[in-house]
Amino acid sequence: MMAAKKKRKRPTPPPPPVRTRPTRAATAPAGPTRREQTRAAQRTQDRRDQLRRRLTTAALVTVVLAAVSLYIFIDRREAADLRAFLTAGSCTVDTESDPTAGPGANHVASPSFQVNPPAGGNHLASAARAGVFAAAAAPADGLLVHSLEHGYIVIWHEPGLASEQMSQLTEFEAANDGDVLVVERAGMRTPVVATAWNQRLLCGQVEKAPLDRFFDEYVGKGPEKVARG
């Protein structure tokens, strides 16, 4: 008898693949809303505007400081140049004057003056008019100081001034008619003194160039503005 054939064992089929659900990609975060974008843009613009204002303010402050410094420099330079011109000859300058109670409160019945000749201080309520005055007819100091307050120039000279110098003073008064008083006065330290409000030019003789410059610089510069003449 023939041997029985062995049955071939069928291979075990592989297990079916496990189906896995695909993983969803992570959702990207949502971007800023339009309102948030608008606010962010506004904040950026505000910062820019603030920076611009600061830079503008800094620039303006720099310009103002530079202008003030330049003004002070020019003012001091002009003052130095004026002083040098006025004192080139026999003249000196000073700002001696008696104190005042302030504009509008400095009219007193009986003023007295320590500075000779006076160039400021409390004074009478009326002012002297322009002209040439000998000592006997000279207005009171209180009237003359009030004239200085109005912007007049008063030129004082000692008695017995040389005739040619006296002629120069009368010509100076005539050339500046209405703005100058020429007054004879004894007891001064120098023969000729020109005065404006709180300004004095003291000269050993009549010197036309300094007198002209002093007049141009200070006429009409008194603290009380009125029509002169």
Side-chain angles (χ1 to χ4, degrees):
M1 291 182 66
M2 293 181 62
K5 290 184 178 180
K6 291 183 179 180
K7 288 184 178 181
R8 183 178 293 179
K9 193 175 181 178
R10 297 178 67 180
T12 304
V18 179
R19 293 184 178 181
T20 58
R21 183 175 294 179
T23 305
R24 292 184 179 180
T27 304
T33 64
R34 179 170 297 181
R35 176 178 294 181
E36 290 172 338
Q37 291 176 343
T38 301
R39 289 178 178 175
Q42 185 61 50
R43 286 194 296 270
T44 300
Q45 186 62 44
D46 289 344
R47 286 194 294 269
R48 289 175 179 172
D49 291 343
Q50 187 178 38
L51 178 60
R52 187 180 298 110
R53 286 193 296 269
R54 288 178 178 175
L55 292 175
T56 301
T57 300
L60 288 175
V61 169
T62 301
V63 170
V64 170
L65 290 176
V68 170
S69 299
L70 180 61
Y71 174 81
I72 293 173
F73 172 79
I74 293 174
D75 186 61
R76 289 178 177 175
R77 181 63 179 270
E78 289 179 348
D81 290 346
L82 174 63
R83 186 181 186 90
F85 185 92
L86 294 178
T87 59
S90 68
C91 302
T92 60
V93 295
D94 68 37
T95 56
E96 290 187 24
S97 65
D98 291 86
T100 67
N106 49 18
H107 296 165
V108 298
S110 301
S112 61
F113 302 93
Q114 300 300 314
V115 176
N116 181 30
N122 297 328
H123 47 267
L124 295 171
S126 299
R129 307 286 289 183
V132 179
F133 303 92
D141 285 356
L143 298 175
L144 293 167
V145 171
H146 197 155
S147 298
L148 296 177
E149 187 183 38
H150 288 180
Y152 286 87
I153 303 298
V154 179
I155 301 177
W156 320 71
H157 66 87
E158 65 181 2
L161 191 67
S163 58
E164 64 273 12
Q165 293 193 50
M166 192 65 216
S167 295
Q168 286 181 281
L169 291 183
T170 55
E171 290 171 4
F172 185 85
E173 188 277 334
N176 300 288
D177 185 33
D179 288 320
V180 175
L181 296 89
V182 176
V183 181
E184 185 180 39
R185 184 184 186 89
M188 298 188 300
R189 289 184 300 166
T190 56
V192 179
V193 181
T195 54
W197 184 256
N198 292 345
Q199 301 290 336
R200 302 198 311 167
L201 177 70
L202 303 93
C203 302
Q205 60 184 3
V206 176
E207 297 204 34
K208 188 175 186 307
L211 282 177
D212 285 340
R213 181 70 180 274
F214 186 87
F215 175 87
D216 292 340
E217 188 70 26
Y218 297 116
V219 68
K221 300 290 181 63
E224 189 175 355
K225 307 300 181 185
V226 298
R228 299 183 303 279

